[in-house]
């Protein structure tokens, strides 16, 4: 494992490529601190939650249970990753840190995270595909606090008027047929984000993977089929041309107007869906030939950065264990609109909120963006991929030519 200035600089560059990650956030930062038993520092990407929030109170409680005070700082996801690398370079990394899952491999390559096995943290109850987002070379470097992912929201009134049964949408052909009926009925089809950031890649991945695509070969027939599907939808007027500029937020805002039949979006929009003013449902994103398409996992991992004073790890491990035990996960994941990383807590979530059931199924089919050994190679693949999506949907290149150029770019980058 490398822990040099050079690898830290490389890691900063990789984090920059992941500057727009698929998760929710916003608001002002907060912290709590104290002296009794010593002070442990904790960073998270939830600046929207202050010390009085359920999350803020849990962090404080977990510190207290471990016999210490916790100084918590919430900051933007990208700032957190960059500041973590800088702090490690300066030898003052926080004791515990919650980071977005694609960032874990970058921090591992920089040599600043401890293995969960070295800390004695139990990851056995966690779903393997969720845990995979925090694994490098078969070793786990964090405990997931929860997961979010993508599915298709649908407007029940629009589908009913177009005589479309959402249960009939089982593959790409049936989904496209549904969009055709919706358009013929005078309504709009589907919204999604194809913006030239990580959000665009995040939203494209279910279709890419749903065709059987492999991120190490972007220009395969399978990858081309996925991009051709999106291009067909835009050309046919089933999807708006402004998907090229849509973030996941603006895409949701389009769906929330009540004019669209379908909207590809995430678990984090459940609260907004309840306020949209129309009856909605959720179905999984279908694979090209049926079944559930693999969807990318979003969500964060609780990690313990490397410290010069290794005697601090015992308390840090207690804090992590407290934050991720079953009782606390249920409250935390409901607050964050996350699906829990364990089947036991998922069952409790669905019991309290049946609308989470399709999301639990979606998470079960999900995979980490850096899984399969990609690690820090993922940002160098994602950027050419979203560039190819932009080129194809804008009409600048055919899907095959756009993905050929993307694969060439990946080859040069590696």
């Amino acid at each position: 494992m490398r822990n040099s200035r050079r690898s830290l600089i490389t890691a900063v560059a990789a984090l920059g490529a992941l500057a727009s990650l698929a998760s929710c956030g916003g608001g002002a930062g907060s912290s709590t601190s104290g002296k009794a038993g010593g002070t442990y520092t904790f960073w998270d990407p939830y600046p929207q939650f202050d010390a009085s929030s359920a999350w803020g109170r849990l962090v404080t409680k977990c510190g207290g249970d471990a016999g210490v005070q916790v100084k918590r700082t919430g900051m933007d996801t990208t700032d957190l990753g960059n500041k973590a690398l800088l702090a490690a370079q300066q030898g003052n990394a926080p004791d515990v840190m919650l980071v977005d899952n694609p960032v874990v491999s970058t921090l591992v390559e920089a040599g600043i995270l401890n293995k969960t096995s070295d800390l004695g943290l139990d990851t056995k109850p966690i779903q393997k595909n969720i845990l995979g987002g925090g694994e490098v070379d078969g070793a786990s470097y964090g405990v997931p606090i929860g997961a979010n992912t993508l599915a298709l929201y649908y407007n029940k009134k629009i589908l009913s008027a177009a005589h479309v049964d959402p249960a009939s949408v089982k593959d790409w052909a049936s989904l496209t047929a549904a969009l055709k009926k919706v358009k013929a009925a005078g309504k709009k089809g589907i919204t999604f984000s194809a913006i030239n950031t990580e959000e665009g890649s995040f939203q494209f991945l279910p279709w890419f993977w749903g065709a059987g695509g492999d991120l190490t070969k972007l220009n395969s027939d399978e990858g081309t089929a996925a991009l051709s599907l999106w291009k067909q939808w835009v050309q046919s007027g089933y999807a708006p041309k402004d998907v090229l500029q849509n973030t996941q937020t603006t895409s949701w805002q389009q769906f929330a107007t009540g004019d669209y039949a379908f909207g590809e979006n995430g678990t984090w929009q459940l609260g907004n869906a309840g306020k949209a003013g129309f009856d909605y449902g959720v179905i999984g994103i279908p694979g090209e030939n049926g079944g559930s398409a693999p969807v990318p996992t979003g969500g964060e991992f609780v990690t313990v950065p490397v410290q010069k004073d290794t005697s601090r790890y015992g308390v840090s491990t207690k804090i992590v264990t407290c934050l991720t035990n079953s009782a606390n996960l249920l409250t935390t994941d409901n607050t964050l609109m996350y699906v829990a990383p364990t089947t036991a807590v998922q069952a409790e979530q669905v019991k309290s909120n049946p609308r989470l059931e399709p999301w639990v199924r979606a998470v079960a089919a999900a995979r980490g963006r850096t899984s399969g050994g990609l690690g820090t190679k993922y940002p160098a693949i994602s950027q050419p991929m979203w560039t190819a999506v932009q080129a194809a949907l804008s009409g600048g290149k055919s899907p095959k030519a756009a993905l050929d150029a993307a694969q060439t770019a990946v080859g040069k980058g590696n």
Side-chain angles (χ1 to χ4, degrees):
M1 184 179 296
R2 292 177 291 148
N3 190 17
S4 64
R5 177 178 175 82
R6 185 181 186 85
S7 64
L8 282 167
I9 292 173
T10 302
V12 170
L15 284 172
L18 288 168
S20 179
L21 295 169
S23 62
C24 46
S30 65
S31 68
T32 59
S33 62
K35 297 292 184 182
T39 300
Y40 277 61
T41 52
F42 177 81
W43 293 359
D44 67 42
Y46 307 144
Q48 70 271 32
F49 298 126
D50 63 18
S52 66
S53 67
W55 172 249
R57 293 195 306 271
L58 175 61
V59 173
T60 299
K61 177 184 182 300
C62 286
D65 289 351
V68 299
Q69 294 289 320
V70 173
K71 180 181 180 182
R72 173 185 168 248
T73 303
M75 64 188 83
D76 173 81
T77 295
T78 305
D79 285 344
L80 192 155
N82 289 333
K83 287 178 180 176
L85 291 167
L86 180 60
Q89 186 178 4
Q90 296 173 341
N92 60 356
D95 292 289
V96 181
M97 185 166 57
L98 194 61
V99 297
D100 201 12
N101 71 83
V103 177
V104 172
S105 60
T106 301
L107 299 180
V108 170
E109 186 181 51
I112 67 173
L113 293 184
N114 283 289
K115 294 180 182 178
T116 55
S117 58
D118 291 343
L119 298 166
L121 288 164
D122 182 14
T123 58
K124 290 190 291 293
I126 298 168
Q127 282 186 197
K128 299 302 181 186
N129 62 327
I130 299 177
L131 188 64
E135 290 181 330
V136 177
D137 296 332
S140 170
Y141 288 84
V143 181
I145 200 122
N148 55 32
T149 195
L150 297 167
L152 293 178
Y153 289 86
Y154 64 87
N155 185 312
K156 290 185 177 182
K157 183 177 180 180
I158 289 179
L159 291 191
S160 178
H163 304 292
V164 172
D165 180 358
S168 70
V169 177
K170 297 182 180 298
D171 52 24
W172 290 3
S174 55
L175 176 55
T176 300
L179 295 175
K180 184 176 181 180
K181 288 183 178 180
V182 166
K183 185 181 179 185
K187 291 294 185 178
K188 298 177 181 179
I190 186 169
T191 73
F192 53 87
S193 169
I195 196 169
N196 57 339
T197 70
E198 177 61 21
E199 291 192 39
S201 290
F202 189 75
Q203 292 240 318
F204 181 61
L205 279 173
W207 312 96
F208 182 86
W209 283 335
D214 182 336
L215 285 172
T216 63
K217 191 176 181 182
L218 294 177
N219 58 342
S220 65
D221 290 344
E222 293 81 4
T224 302
L227 188 49
S228 297
L229 177 72
W230 270 19
K231 186 176 179 70
Q232 173 196 352
W233 287 350
V234 172
Q235 285 183 328
S236 301
Y238 301 157
K241 292 182 179 179
D242 56 8
V243 294
L244 287 164
Q245 292 81 42
N246 272 351
T247 64
Q248 292 185 111
T249 298
T250 55
S251 174
W252 174 260
Q253 289 168 348
Q254 285 183 328
F255 178 73
T257 62
D259 295 331
Y260 285 84
F262 296 95
E264 179 184 352
N265 228 293
T267 328
W268 55 90
Q269 297 291 5
L270 270 176
N272 289 327
K275 303 173 185 175
F278 55 83
D279 203 5
Y280 75 94
V282 177
I283 57 173
I285 296 174
E288 180 178 15
N289 298 313
S292 295
V295 284
T297 51
E300 289 82 36
F301 278 70
V302 194
T303 65
V304 177
V306 172
Q307 303 289 340
K308 291 180 181 178
D309 181 3
T310 59
S311 68
R312 299 180 70 83
Y313 294 155
V315 169
S316 295
T317 299
K318 288 181 180 179
I319 294 172
V320 175
T321 301
C322 175
L323 290 171
T324 58
N325 69 35
S326 294
N328 291 332
L329 275 178
L330 180 61
T331 301
T332 296
D333 288 333
N334 286 345
T335 298
L336 300 174
M337 288 298 177
Y338 279 172
V339 171
T342 68
T343 55
V345 180
Q346 288 172 2
E348 289 298 314
Q349 286 185 292
V350 172
K351 185 177 179 181
S352 63
N353 182 4
R355 284 191 179 273
L356 279 172
E357 187 171 2
W359 294 103
V360 170
R361 292 198 301 269
V363 165
R367 64 176 66 160
R369 284 163 279 175
T370 58
S371 297
L374 285 182
T376 56
K377 294 178 183 177
Y378 174 73
I381 295 170
S382 178
Q383 185 165 356
M385 182 166 64
W386 80 55
T387 301
V389 170
Q390 288 265 311
L393 298 192
S394 67
K397 292 181 179 178
S398 70
K400 182 65 167 66
L403 289 169
D404 281 343
Q407 188 61 38
T408 298
V410 171
K412 290 179 179 178
N414 294 326

